[in-house]
Amino acid sequence: MSQNSPQNSRAQVRRGRQFSNTKKKGPFRRILKYGLILLGALFIFGAGLFTYYAASAPQITRSALTSDNSTKFYDTNGKVISRLGSQNRDYVKSKNIPRTLKRAVVSIEDRRFYKHHGVDPIRIMGAAVSNLTGSSLGLQGGSTLTQQLVKLSVFSTAASDRTLKRKAQEAWLAIKVENRYSKSQILEFYINKVYMGNGVYGMQTAAEFYYNKTLNHLTLPQFALLAGMPQSPTLYNPYKYPQYATKRRNEVLDAMVKNKAITEQQAQSAKNTSVKAHLSKTHAKARTSEKTSKYIDSYLKQSIEELEERGYKANSGLKVYTNLDMSAQKKLYNVSNNDPTIAYPNNRFQVGATIVNVNNGKVIAMQGSRKTKVAFGLNRAVQTGRSSGSTAKPIMDYGPAIQYLKYPTYQPVKDTPYVYPGTDKSVYDFDNKYPGTITMRKALVESRNIPAIRTLENVGVPKATSFLKNLGMTFSKPLEIQNGIGLYISSEQLAASYAAFSNGGTYYKPYLINKIVQNNGVTHTYKSKGRRAMSPATAFMITNMLKGVMNSSNGSGTAAKISGLYEAGKTGTTQYPDDYLNKVPAMSTMDSWFSGYTRNYSLAVWTGYDHQFKANSYVTSAQTTIAQQIYKNVMSYISQDKPNQDWVQPSDVVSTERGGQTEYYVAGYPGTVTDNSSNQTTSGYTTDSSSSSAVVTQPRGSESSSSAESSSESSASTPSEQKPSGDGGNNGSDDNSSSASSTDNGGNDNNNATDNGGNTTNGGNDNNGGTTDETQ
């Protein structure tokens, strides 16, 4: 047959097509081949890594699975002050756990619980997709109920521990638990272990706490609430956040419908029930029942919040070592509640106070209430919804004036009629008098408002705001000139800022926890890393003037004076708005403060009423000294065994005698600074040439040293604009109008200056990623 026959031609065509198809399919087959090889390699690598991590997994015992997982808190001497929930838990066996609760827990936490063997690949894939698409954060979302039990039993719940290694070990241990225990036992362990808020562990104990009933007497909506709480027991607290608790309960009900545990009609009926219905008004299973509980209530609550801020949960079996000085705490509690030498007007009169070690920032005691517990409400020691009054003057007016303008303590300041620029609002002093030109020392000692505002005007609000930022205070809106006589800060912030005056100018962020030991033995220690907030000269000169607040016959804080003790301090009161003055007795105030310090401790005290605009909720002139009396009684007690040392004059501070008074100025700045604040005529002042360290005369009309350096990070807002965060917002106040005014002179001040302050937060960020963490 010829080579060119039709048959040969067709064969060649077929071979050509086959060759062509082979060429076309080749690249795809190679990609598939290499892809399978890569997947195989990744599988082998993943299996090897899993095996490696699993080999180093901790042991898990029945004891660990059944333990209450409570967190223990210790004071500064290493003594246990609280075991959250440990002695209050009622363990319930599986046979006594209602079927409805089991179904609720499984439906919301792990729908495939009865189908997997500790690890659910389908759930993991779903979580992976969520993480890749950004709908979930970090390595989370794929844990089965068994894995959650393992995490609660042997691992930390800190966010920093959500690692691949930890997830691998968690999965391996979950598989081991599933091989050793039945599903019924695992569910029993979980229901008895989970943290349910308010120091309560286990759902049986929670039923008694929240409803004063045992589990077998609860209803469907109550089961649903309890089943949903472990995810975020603080947020889903029905007492404090009923709106979030309702949303979470309804999510559980919907999950039960989807899991065919209940019908749509049953779910709807349960949703129609208020989440606050039948909540118990008494709490037999509240936190610890120890004798110390009433003393440490405020401190413990703040410690728990700080623990959570550091990335931990209270249901982690932790050992938390705090800076609490139990002796100081008991004294502060007793003075605030039961001291017979202090004439408290009634049981509604409240106290918020904080004691800080001036040399390291450790909060050694805190009182957040009087005659009430703060476990379910406002911790007044850290609230920022009340104006600090004239306690703001050293940190916003005169401190910056020395720091930036080099004011001497004898700086002449004008106490003459003053109107806030751009307004018709006048500023008044407590006595409605205008003594004319006086020294800065006299203005601060007598707590006169007009010189303080004029001084702030010379410094400039941006500079003053920068000074405050160095003391750990940032604000949500720009501060204004009115804030020179009132800042919205807490007693904790105030005590920490005054501590910088005491120690020579270093700011330490206040903190309560110094060490956390996880149940696997990993330890993190914490300290506050001090930062320079002002010069030693500024700290010394402010302190020297603040001594006169307590020592001088004209001082506004003489009721706080402790005989023989080297100390300094400042009073502060806030007046009612102008349109409310006729509704309260003359000289009444809304708030009364005293903040004082020694070389060892700084103590800030706020007193007043939660609802200052309700009937009979004003602070009388006589009652403004209560804050001073609290300070005096507590500071004298905690100073008994401490060195009583005076402050040492820095080498760059020069002393001079002027008018029989020892005054001070910074070396190299011998003159006074011209006051160029608004509404006044600038004039020069003559020095006392007879002094041993005479200073030169400042010529009339010389240039002001005021600066207007900007700072975009500073701000403030009126209380009405504040958003409560936890318990530290403006809770409990009916109306804290921005027209509230700052007055001060031992309770006898009366001015009409507008305070326009706002919410504040401590600066600096804590880092708990290492074994030692420094609080900035």
Side-chain angles (χ1 to χ4, degrees):
M1 183 182 292
S2 171
Q3 287 185 337
N4 296 325
S5 66
Q7 290 85 348
N8 288 337
S9 296
R10 285 194 294 270
Q12 290 174 357
V13 169
R14 284 196 299 269
R15 285 195 296 269
R17 287 174 179 172
Q18 290 173 355
F19 180 75
S20 177
N21 288 341
T22 301
K23 289 183 69 176
K24 289 181 180 178
K25 291 180 180 179
F28 296 105
R29 288 179 177 175
R30 285 196 296 271
I31 291 173
L32 178 61
K33 176 184 176 181
Y34 292 140
L36 290 174
I37 293 174
L38 179 61
L39 286 175
L42 288 174
F43 177 81
I44 294 172
F45 175 77
L49 188 63
F50 179 86
T51 303
Y52 173 75
Y53 286 153
S56 60
Q59 295 296 316
I60 188 166
T61 63
R62 184 184 183 93
S63 175
L65 293 170
T66 59
S67 66
D68 57 27
N69 215 44
S70 62
T71 289
K72 299 177 180 64
F73 287 80
Y74 300 79
D75 67 9
T76 190
N77 294 318
K79 294 183 178 179
V80 175
I81 58 174
S82 179
R83 297 178 177 88
L84 293 190
S86 61
Q87 69 273 56
N88 294 327
R89 187 182 69 149
D90 289 335
Y91 195 94
V92 56
K93 291 289 187 179
S94 179
K95 64 180 181 180
N96 296 322
I97 299 175
R99 186 163 175 258
T100 303
L101 177 61
K102 291 180 179 179
R103 287 185 165 189
V105 170
V106 169
S107 296
I108 192 65
E109 293 294 344
D110 188 0
R111 285 184 61 202
R112 293 171 47 80
F113 174 67
Y114 291 104
K115 298 179 180 179
H116 62 67
H117 299 285
V119 177
D120 187 355
I122 296 177
R123 187 181 178 93
I124 291 173
M125 290 178 63
V129 171
S130 297
N131 285 326
L132 288 173
T133 57
S135 59
S136 180
L137 297 176
L139 298 169
Q140 53 186 326
S143 295
T144 63
L145 194 149
T146 312
Q147 287 176 275
Q148 293 179 50
L149 174 64
V150 168
K151 179 167 62 176
L152 292 173
S153 300
V154 296
F155 292 124
S156 161
T157 56
S160 59
D161 284 334
R162 293 173 186 165
T163 62
L164 184 61
K165 177 181 179 181
R166 187 56 48 83
K167 279 292 181 182
Q169 293 178 338
E170 183 184 290
W172 171 245
L173 292 178
I175 293 172
K176 293 181 68 174
V177 168
E178 289 270 354
N179 289 333
R180 188 177 303 171
Y181 302 101
S182 68
K183 293 288 186 179
S184 179
Q185 287 176 304
I186 292 171
L187 196 54
E188 174 189 314
F189 296 154
Y190 177 86
I191 286 175
N192 281 283
K193 180 175 285 290
V194 288
Y195 182 59
M196 302 297 289
N198 297 301
V200 173
Y201 289 83
M203 294 187 182
Q204 172 82 326
T205 315
E208 297 176 15
F209 180 88
Y210 291 106
Y211 299 109
N212 204 20
K213 298 177 182 178
T214 55
L215 281 175
N216 56 359
H217 288 96
L218 297 188
T219 61
L220 174 59
Q222 293 167 345
F223 282 132
L225 176 66
L226 296 187
M229 287 187 71
Q231 185 189 71
S232 183
T234 299
L235 185 63
Y236 300 139
N237 183 338
Y239 292 101
K240 192 172 180 182
Y241 302 114
Q243 69 277 27
Y244 299 126
T246 299
K247 182 179 179 181
R248 179 61 174 170
R249 180 201 64 183
N250 292 348
E251 288 176 354
V252 175
L253 292 169
D254 289 338
M256 294 179 74
V257 171
K258 188 175 182 179
N259 209 28
K260 298 181 180 179
I262 60 173
T263 66
E264 190 73 56
Q265 291 77 12
Q266 288 175 308
Q268 190 57 53
S269 176
K271 289 179 182 180
N272 293 336
T273 303
S274 170
V275 77
K276 300 183 74 173
H278 308 298
L279 285 176
S280 176
K281 292 183 172 60
T282 59
H283 305 285
K285 297 295 180 181
R287 293 188 187 208
T288 175
S289 59
E290 300 170 20
K291 294 179 181 178
T292 59
S293 62
K294 68 176 183 179
Y295 300 113
I296 66 170
D297 185 39
S298 305
Y299 197 100
L300 180 60
K301 179 175 183 178
Q302 195 62 22
S303 294
I304 293 172
E305 292 192 12
E306 186 172 305
L307 181 69
E308 293 175 347
E309 289 172 0
R310 294 190 185 280
Y312 294 90
K313 294 182 180 178
N315 60 331
S316 305
L318 305 171
K319 293 180 180 179
V320 181
Y321 294 86
T322 73
N323 299 317
L324 176 70
D325 183 325
M326 183 58 74
S327 178
Q329 183 65 48
K330 286 184 177 180
K331 182 64 176 180
L332 181 57
Y333 174 90
N334 288 328
V335 170
S336 300
N337 285 274
N338 307 309
D339 196 315
T341 66
I342 300 178
Y344 290 106
N346 51 57
N347 288 345
R348 293 187 300 109
F349 190 87
Q350 284 298 335
V351 171
T354 304
I355 307 176
V356 173
N357 185 316
V358 301
N359 296 309
N360 50 37
K362 293 181 177 181
V363 177
I364 70 163
M366 176 178 285
Q367 188 64 33
S369 69
R370 179 177 174 272
K371 299 296 184 181
T372 62
K373 289 178 70 68
V374 303
F376 307 105
L378 179 65
N379 184 354
R380 296 161 189 83
V382 295
Q383 70 173 340
T384 56
R386 307 300 283 265
S387 172
S388 68
S390 292
T391 60
K393 293 173 182 175
I395 55 179
M396 188 169 183
D397 308 332
Y398 298 118
I402 298 173
Q403 181 72 20
Y404 302 124
L405 305 184
K406 305 305 177 185
Y407 272 21
T409 58
Y410 53 86
Q411 170 70 30
V413 291
K414 288 271 190 174
D415 196 343
T416 55
Y418 182 92
V419 178
Y420 285 119
T423 75
D424 59 356
K425 188 74 174 177
S426 296
V427 183
Y428 297 93
D429 289 319
F430 65 93
D431 55 6
N432 289 317
K433 295 180 180 179
Y434 304 104
T437 299
I438 58 176
T439 65
M440 179 171 68
R441 178 187 295 276
K442 179 178 176 66
L444 181 55
V445 166
E446 296 183 4
S447 196
R448 307 191 74 84
N449 292 324
I450 297 173
I453 291 296
R454 289 189 185 279
T455 298
L456 175 58
E457 193 170 38
N458 282 342
V459 171
V461 172
K463 277 284 191 182
T465 302
S466 192
F467 191 84
L468 290 171
K469 185 180 179 182
N470 289 338
L471 293 172
M473 302 175 200
T474 56
F475 303 85
S476 59
K477 287 187 178 180
L479 295 174
E480 299 179 6
I481 196 74
Q482 294 95 323
N483 292 118
I485 52 176
L487 288 165
Y488 285 83
I489 54 178
S490 68
S491 70
E492 183 184 50
Q493 291 172 304
L494 189 59
S497 65
Y498 275 39
F501 291 136
S502 174
N503 65 38
T506 300
Y507 171 75
Y508 294 95
K509 181 180 178 181
Y511 69 109
L512 289 75
I513 297 174
N514 70 73
K515 184 170 69 172
I516 298 173
V517 181
Q518 299 172 187
N519 54 14
N520 59 1
V522 176
T523 300
H524 293 272
T525 58
Y526 302 91
K527 65 179 181 179
S528 185
K529 183 180 179 181
R531 66 166 180 256
R532 174 62 61 184
M534 68 189 83
S535 67
T538 298
F540 174 81
M541 291 164 67
I542 286 290
T543 294
N544 185 266
M545 291 189 291
L546 290 183
K547 286 181 178 180
V549 171
M550 308 164 79
N551 293 331
S552 173
S553 58
N554 295 325
S556 61
T558 56
K561 174 59 185 171
I562 302 170
S563 179
L565 185 67
Y566 293 109
E567 58 185 339
K570 185 71 189 74
T571 53
T573 56
T574 57
Q575 185 190 332
Y576 280 95
D578 292 347
D579 58 2
Y580 199 84
L581 287 174
N582 61 348
K583 299 179 182 180
V584 294
M587 312 304 288
S588 297
T589 60
M590 294 189 295
D591 310 275
S592 179
W593 295 73
F594 187 81
S595 187
Y597 55 91
T598 66
R599 288 283 299 274
N600 304 300
Y601 299 114
S602 177
L603 168 56
V605 183
W606 166 84
T607 60
Y609 292 90
D610 289 337
H611 307 284
Q612 69 271 45
F613 290 96
K614 284 190 175 181
N616 300 316
S617 296
Y618 52 83
V619 181
T620 68
S621 176
Q623 292 162 3
T624 58
T625 62
I626 291 178
Q628 299 180 48
Q629 295 173 56
I630 294 173
Y631 165 87
K632 180 178 181 178
N633 289 8
V634 175
M635 186 62 82
S636 60
Y637 175 81
I638 62 177
S639 300
Q640 287 178 350
D641 300 323
K642 298 295 179 181
N644 182 23
Q645 299 173 322
D646 198 359
W647 286 270
V648 178
Q649 181 177 331
S651 58
D652 64 338
V653 173
V654 181
S655 62
T656 178
E657 292 297 320
R658 301 177 66 88
Q661 169 73 50
T662 301
E663 300 285 5
Y664 299 91
Y665 64 91
V666 180
Y669 297 88
T672 57
V673 178
T674 303
D675 188 340
N676 282 339
S677 60
S678 63
N679 302 312
Q680 74 174 60
T681 301
T682 302
S683 60
Y685 312 105
T686 304
T687 62
D688 182 359
S689 60
S690 64
S691 80
S692 58
S693 300
V695 289
V696 300
T697 301
Q698 188 77 303
R700 180 183 179 91
S702 63
E703 183 179 356
S704 169
S705 300
S706 176
S707 173
E709 181 180 304
S710 63
S711 175
S712 61
E713 298 182 36
S714 59
S715 56
S717 63
T718 61
S720 61
E721 297 170 321
Q722 296 174 356
K723 298 287 192 294
S725 174
D727 296 318
N730 188 24
N731 302 346
S733 296
D734 291 340
D735 179 12
N736 210 1
S737 169
S738 62
S739 62
S741 303
S742 168
T743 69
D744 185 47
N745 192 25
N748 297 321
D749 301 348
N750 179 18
N751 74 64
N752 296 317
T754 301
D755 285 345
N756 198 6
N759 198 16
T760 64
T761 57
N762 283 330
N765 294 319
D766 297 342
N767 175 14
N768 64 352
T771 55
T772 299
D773 301 289
E774 296 179 338
T775 301
Q776 297 299 320

